Amino acid sequence: MPFIKKPRTLKPLGAVSIGTGERAVKIGGGNTLPLYFFDAKLSNPPAVGVELTDTAWDAAELPLLAKAYEGAATLAERVACAANMKGVDFVCLRLEGADPGGDNLSVEECVKLAQEAAAACTKPLCIAGCRSEEKDVELFKALAAALQGQNVLFLSAKEEDYKTIGAATVLAYGHKVAGESSVDINLAKQLNVLMTQLGIPKESIVMNLGGAAVGYGFEYVSSTMDRVKAAALEQDDAMLQMPVITQVATETWAVKESMASQADMPEWGDLEQRGIQMETVTAAACLASGSDAVILRHPVAVDKIAALVAALI
Amino acid sequence: MALKGLDIFKLTPKTNCKECNQPTCMAFAMKVASGAIALTDCPHMSAAALDKFASATEPPMKTIDIGAGECAYKLGGETVLLRHDKTLVNSNLYGICISADMPDAAIEAALTEMTKIDYERIGKRMYVECVYVKCNSDAVRSAEVAVKAVASGRVPVLDCADPDIAKSVLGAIKEAKPVLCGANAANWEAMNAVAKAADAVLGVSGADLNELHDTVEKLEAAGNKKLILDVGSVSIKDAFANAVEIRRAALKDGDRTFGYPSIVNLAALAPGDLVTQAALASIFTLRYGSIILMERIGYAEALPLFGLRQNIYTDPQKPMRVTPGLYPIGGANENSVCCLTVDFALSYFIVSGEIERSRVPVNLLIPDAGGYSVLTAWAAGKLSASSIAKFIQEFEIDTKIKNHTLILPGKVAVLKGDLEAKLPDWKIVVGPNEAIQLVKFLSTIN
Ligand code: B12
Ligand code: SF4
C-alpha cells in the first residue's frame, strides 16, 4: 500500500514588513508549521538578521568575524559591511553605548549614530536598546522621530513600557515594534492584547518571546514556541498570530562554549568554531520551533542559516 | 491505544464457561479493558483473536533496541509529537561516519577525535553513541573497518545493500547488535534473511515514501518488526519532509507501518560542510531524527548538540533540581569564602564546575529557589534577601562557616543592599554575571 499523505491546510499567519521600497522585508506570513514548507505552496521563509553594536565586538579570538568588518572604521562603515554580508535580510543595531552602567552615551549622540547607520544601511533596520528600561524609552522616542519614514523595527517593548514605546514608535511615526515577554505563551498573548488595545495594529507587532542558548533552558523556549505556533496556526488565535523574532546571538555568545578561550579549555579546540556552532545550532533549533526571524552575529552562521532556509523551501 | 470492553467481548468465545474465574465473558472483557486482568487469563482465546488484540493495543511507534552491553539503547517508543504534550522518552543518538574506502589513518583519526568527546553535563555522560560504517564491495576490508567501529565501543551502524557482503560483515560483529542499513524495494527479502539470522535491526530505505511504505509492509508481513526507516538523502528538503511525514503519520494518523525510529545521514546531505550538518542535526534533534549521523563530531559540534538534546529530552513536568544545602567544593572548610547560587541543576552544575576549575576552595550555598535559574528565581520572588537570610539561619551557616564573605551572582547585584541590612555581620560581594568569569574573580578575592 502506498503512503497516504494527508492534506494540511492552515491559515496564513500575520506578516510584518520592515524597511521601505525594494529593500523591505516581510517577517512572518507563512501558512505552515515551522519549516514544514512541504505542506503547502504559499509560505514565507524566515528572515535572517545580523546584529552589531555601536561599540565594536571584541574580536581578538574571532578572526573570521574580524575579517568581515575589516577596514571598517566608523559605525556607518561597519553597518555597510553587515548589510552586505551573504545571506543577510536585515540589520540589527544594538545601541550598547547608551548603557548608563557603561559608556552612557547621550540620547543625542545615539541619534546621530543611528542616523549615520541608517544612511549606510542597504537593508531594513532593526534597533535594539541597551537593556536599561528608562534609557531605552528615551532613546526609542528620539530615534523614532529621527528615523521617520524608514519603517524601523524597535526591540523591544515590555509590559512595563509598551505604552510609551508603542505610542512613540508605532502610533506617532509608523514604525514597527517587538513585544518582549519571558518564555511564556500567556504573557506573550497578554502583551499582544494590551498593545492592540492601545491601538497598535496587528501588522505592526512582532513577538519577542525570549530566548536561550541550547543547553541553557532552551527546552522552555522551544516548547513555548511550539505552543504559540499551534495556537496561531491550528486554533486560529489572532492574538498569537504575530511573527516571532528571536535574538539568538545575545544568548549564544554569552555562554561558556563561546567565551572560554582555547588556552583555558585546550581540549575544546578553536574558540571561533565553537561560537559559530553554538550560534548555528541554536538558530536552527529556533527556526524549527517557530522563529520567523533570527538575529545572529557571526557571518558564517548568517550565511549557513540563510542557505539552509533556502534549501528547505 | 486502548480497546473498549465491547471490542474485547467480541474476541471472546462467548461461552461463559467461567474458567477465567469471571461470571461471564462480558465481565471478563470489561476487566481486561480496565487493565485488571490479562487477555491470556481466558484459555479459550483463539490465535486470531490474540493477534487482533495485540495489534490493536500496540503502541503507535515501536521501541527498538540496538547495541549490546554498555552501549545498548532504546529508540522510538514516542507517543507525542511535541515534548510539552507529555514527554519524549527515548532520546536520539548521534554518530559519525567512516567507510571501508577510507585509508586506515583517516579512520583512526576520526575515531580518535570522536572518543575524545567524553564529558559530564548535569550528571550525565556525553559522548557519541554510534559509528556508521559504509561498506564497499570488498567484504574482508568492510569487516575489518566494522571491527574497528566496534572496538571504539560504540554501536556500529552498517551501510551495505549487498546481502552477501552484509552477511559476512555481520558475521564478524554480530555480538555488538548492530543496525544493518541497506534494505530496499529490490533486495528486501535477502536483506531480511541476513538481518534476522544475525538478530540485527534492519534499516530500510525507499526512492520515496510510497516505496518505503510498501517495503516496510512487506518486511512486516515477513515477520520483521525490528526496523529503522531511512529518511533518504535525495535533498535536505526531502529528508526533512520525510522525517516529519513518517513521524506524523505514525503518531497523528495511526499509520503503524511508519511507527519506527528514523535514521538521517547528514554527511550525505551536506558533504564537507560541518556547520550545515550541525544546523541540520539541530533541526532533526527537534523534529524526528532517531539516529543522526555526521561526517565528524568534534567539541564544537558536540557542546551545542548534546546540550540541546539534554534540554529537549527532559520531562517537562519535572524541573531538574539539586537539594538545598551547603556544598563545600575544592576542599573548602570553615575558613573558605561562600558563593551563592540556586537549586536549578544546570546553574549548580555550571557554577560548581567553574569553582572546581578555579582551584579556590569555596563553600557553595544553595537555598531553595524553586528549582529556577538565578534570574527566573529572582523574578518569581523565590530568591530574595529574606529567602537567603532565612536559608543562612536554617542551615546554621553562621556557625558552620567562620569566613563571612558571601559572593552573589552578578545577575542579582540588586540584592546587595537588602542583604547587608539582613546579614549585618556578613560581607556581601557582588560576583561576575557569568560563572565562567568566576575563575578570574576568585583568584583576586583571596
Ligand atoms: C528557561 C527560563 C524560564 C523557565 C524556568 C526554567 C528554570 N528552571 O529556571 C520558566 C519558563 C518556568 C520561566 C519562568 C519565568 N521567567 Co524566565 N527565563 C528563562 C530563560 C529563558 C533561561 C533561564 C536559564 O535556564 N538560564 C540558565 C542558567 C544556568 O542561568 P543562571 O541560573 O542565571 O546561571 C548563570 C549565571 O547567573 C551564573 N551564576 C549562577 N550562579 C552564580 C553564582 C555566582 C557566585 C556567580 C558569580 C555566578 C553565578 O552562572 C550561570 C552561567 O553563567 C531566561 C532568559 C535567559 N536567556 O536567561 C528567562 C528569564 C530569567 N525569565 C524571566 C522572567 C521574568 C520569568 C517569569 C517571572 C515570567 C513571569 N512573569 O511569569 C517567570 C518566573 C517563574 C514563575 N513565576 O513561574 C526574565 C527575568 C527578567 C529579569 N531581568 O529579572 C528572563 C531574564 C527573561 C527575560 N529576558 O525577560 N523562565
Ligand atoms: S474463560 Fe474465556 S470463554 Fe470462559 S468465561 Fe472466561 S472469557 Fe468466557
Side-chain angles (χ1 to χ4, degrees):
Chain A
M1 223 172 57
F3 167 69
I4 299 153
K5 183 175 161 65
K6 292 220 169 152
R8 327 256 166 185
T9 34
L10 302 166
K11 284 220 176 129
L13 295 177
V16 172
S17 135
I18 60 171
T20 54
E22 277 175 24
R23 315 184 280 170
V25 162
K26 218 166 75 173
I27 298 177
N31 62 336
T32 61
L33 283 168
L35 307 182
Y36 289 13
F37 304 129
F38 44 84
D39 270 347
K41 276 250 148 45
L42 160 86
S43 213
N44 209 31
V48 181
V50 61
E51 69 160 26
L52 75 172
T53 68
D54 54 333
T55 55
W57 303 126
D58 171 14
E61 279 192 77
L62 309 172
L64 295 173
L65 179 69
K67 194 155 182 289
Y69 290 101
E70 203 167 34
T74 63
L75 176 62
E77 282 165 4
R78 290 195 299 116
V79 168
C81 288
N84 287 329
M85 261 178 212
K86 196 166 160 235
V88 165
D89 294 310
F90 65 97
V91 174
C92 176
L93 173 63
R94 273 204 297 124
L95 290 165
E96 208 138 78
D99 185 358
D103 291 353
N104 199 16
L105 297 186
S106 70
V107 169
E108 293 71 39
E109 285 170 295
C110 292
V111 166
K112 201 166 153 275
L113 282 174
Q115 277 175 325
E116 283 168 22
C121 192
T122 51
K123 296 273 163 67
L125 194 60
C126 160
I127 290 192
C130 64
R131 306 224 126 245
S132 148
E133 265 158 44
E134 293 104 76
K135 187 73 172 269
D136 282 355
V137 169
E138 293 316 309
L139 210 54
F140 288 178
K141 275 189 194 161
L143 290 171
L147 299 173
Q148 185 171 7
Q150 307 208 25
N151 197 18
V152 171
L153 172 64
F154 284 91
L155 278 181
S156 307
K158 299 199 210 51
E159 201 171 325
E160 299 81 48
D161 55 23
Y162 77 94
K163 280 189 186 150
T164 17
I165 292 183
T169 57
V170 184
L171 298 181
Y173 295 104
H175 294 295
K176 305 291 153 69
V177 73
E180 179 179 341
S181 49
S182 29
V183 226
D184 182 311
I185 182 171
N186 298 315
L187 294 177
K189 180 167 174 168
Q190 182 180 322
L191 187 54
N192 286 338
V193 169
L194 290 172
M195 290 208 284
T196 43
Q197 277 170 358
L198 189 69
I200 300 178
K202 255 185 84 173
E203 299 69 34
S204 299
I205 303 173
V206 177
M207 290 188 278
N208 175 0
L209 301 170
V214 288
Y216 291 86
F218 186 82
E219 69 272 35
Y220 294 94
V221 174
S222 109
S223 283
T224 301
M225 285 206 239
D226 286 343
R227 296 179 63 201
V228 165
K229 287 299 161 182
L233 286 155
E234 290 166 356
Q235 288 127 46
D236 203 15
D237 186 334
M239 281 302 122
L240 285 169
Q241 286 173 338
M242 293 74 163
V244 175
I245 192 165
T246 310
Q247 284 177 292
V248 173
T250 43
E251 300 293 336
T252 68
W253 290 94
V255 296
K256 184 174 181 182
E257 289 85 336
S258 319
M259 281 171 87
S261 70
Q262 192 168 354
D264 264 358
M265 301 298 291
E267 69 275 29
W268 279 10
D270 183 60
L271 167 62
E272 187 161 43
Q273 214 47 45
R274 274 185 267 134
I276 292 170
Q277 292 294 44
M278 198 70 198
E279 183 163 50
T280 309
V281 168
T282 304
C286 287
L287 294 175
S289 306
S291 298
D292 298 288
V294 286
I295 301 178
L296 313 179
R297 184 177 302 175
H298 201 284
V300 173
V302 170
D303 177 21
K304 297 296 183 183
I305 287 292
L308 180 57
V309 167
L312 284 166
I313 295 169
Chain B
M1 218 164 283
L3 270 190
K4 292 206 182 67
L6 222 54
D7 300 321
I8 298 169
F9 174 66
K10 284 180 193 150
L11 300 176
T12 65
K14 304 187 191 92
T15 53
N16 301 333
C17 75
K18 301 189 177 59
E19 277 175 53
C20 58
N21 294 326
Q22 301 300 323
T24 59
C25 292
M26 188 61 183
F28 169 83
M30 289 303 169
K31 286 220 165 145
V32 173
S34 75
I37 54 176
L39 193 74
T40 43
D41 288 356
C42 163
H44 305 294
M45 210 51 89
S46 72
L50 284 172
D51 245 24
K52 213 169 166 186
F53 182 80
S55 68
T57 50
E58 227 177 288
M61 184 186 189
K62 291 183 186 59
T63 304
I64 303 292
D65 291 294
I66 69 164
E70 277 184 21
C71 0
Y73 306 95
K74 288 190 184 307
L75 288 174
E78 302 299 346
T79 55
V80 291
L81 284 171
L82 299 170
R83 67 181 284 281
H84 73 257
D85 286 335
K86 194 164 173 212
T87 182
L88 301 175
V89 289
N90 290 314
S91 73
N92 66 282
L93 305 177
Y94 296 113
I96 62 156
C97 301
I98 57 176
S99 110
D101 290 334
M102 274 161 81
D104 277 348
I107 292 175
E108 290 317 322
L111 293 177
T112 308
E113 183 191 32
M114 174 195 75
T115 34
K116 271 195 197 140
I117 295 165
D118 206 329
Y119 60 99
E120 208 184 285
R121 188 173 204 282
I122 327 181
K124 287 260 160 65
R125 185 180 163 216
M126 303 281 138
Y127 59 100
V128 177
E129 295 88 1
C130 305
V131 174
Y132 179 83
V133 180
K134 197 168 172 43
C135 300
N136 62 15
S137 54
D138 179 348
V140 177
R141 171 66 182 162
S142 298
E144 196 178 289
V145 175
V147 167
K148 286 182 202 283
V150 175
S152 71
R154 316 301 157 113
V155 182
V157 179
L158 298 180
D159 177 18
C160 180
D162 180 320
D164 294 329
I165 294 176
K167 189 173 172 187
S168 91
V169 176
L170 278 180
I173 60 158
K174 76 175 176 224
E175 284 72 38
K177 293 258 181 280
V179 177
L180 170 63
C181 292
N184 55 41
N187 69 5
W188 66 269
E189 263 184 297
M191 290 296 283
N192 187 32
V194 172
K196 271 195 155 166
D199 195 24
V201 170
L202 187 60
V204 193
S205 60
D208 55 29
L209 287 181
N210 284 331
E211 197 183 289
L212 183 65
H213 204 266
D214 262 356
T215 311
V216 172
E217 278 176 325
K218 285 177 186 149
L219 283 161
E220 285 190 324
N224 195 344
K225 295 196 170 181
K226 282 166 64 178
L227 307 173
I228 292 187
L229 312 185
D230 185 346
V231 303
S233 23
V234 177
S235 70
I236 287 174
K237 183 184 167 147
D238 235 55
F240 181 58
N242 291 346
V244 173
E245 295 283 18
I246 288 171
R247 186 70 63 91
R248 197 161 58 176
L251 298 192
K252 206 170 168 187
D253 307 327
D255 181 347
R256 287 221 173 74
T257 308
F258 272 169
Y260 290 97
S262 68
I263 184 162
V264 191
N265 186 347
L266 302 176
L269 286 172
D273 181 351
L274 221 50
V275 179
T276 300
Q277 286 181 33
L280 282 167
S282 170
I283 292 175
F284 281 108
T285 297
L286 286 166
R287 295 294 181 256
Y288 319 136
S290 307
I291 297 179
I292 299 173
L293 303 164
M294 294 170 65
E295 247 160 38
R296 306 190 293 115
I297 298 180
Y299 265 100
E301 292 72 42
L303 293 168
L305 288 172
F306 291 5
L308 172 67
R309 175 174 70 176
Q310 194 175 29
N311 277 172
I312 298 306
Y313 285 92
T314 53
D315 186 339
Q317 271 92 41
K318 279 186 237 133
M320 297 200 275
R321 295 178 72 165
V322 286
T323 322
L326 166 65
Y327 291 74
I329 297 177
N333 59 28
E334 54 182 17
N335 298 316
S336 314
V337 294
C338 297
C339 275
L340 183 107
T341 187
V342 285
D343 57 344
F344 179 34
L346 176 62
S347 311
Y348 164 75
F349 156 81
I350 296 172
V351 173
S352 59
E354 293 304 314
I355 293 175
E356 272 163 27
R357 207 161 63 86
S358 78
R359 295 176 190 278
V360 176
V362 167
N363 291 302
L364 188 56
L365 306 185
I366 305 189
D368 179 348
Y372 288 140
S373 80
V374 171
L375 272 182
T376 310
W378 177 78
K382 305 242 181 212
L383 181 71
S384 62
S386 359
S387 77
I388 296 169
K390 196 171 143 226
F391 163 83
I392 300 244
Q393 196 201 359
E394 271 177 15
F395 284 78
E396 296 166 348
I397 309 292
D398 265 320
T399 51
K400 283 183 194 152
I401 309 291
K402 289 203 184 113
N403 184 337
H404 283 189
T405 306
L406 178 59
I407 304 170
L408 286 183
K411 289 183 182 174
V412 286
V414 291
L415 294 178
K416 185 171 192 262
D418 277 358
L419 255 184
E420 280 166 343
K422 289 233 154 62
L423 302 171
D425 58 337
W426 280 77
K427 185 178 165 216
I428 311 295
V429 181
V430 173
N433 276 346
E434 304 300 336
I436 183 186
Q437 297 155 323
L438 259 174
V439 179
K440 207 169 154 207
F441 183 83
L442 286 172
S443 72
T444 59
I445 199 130
N446 273 22

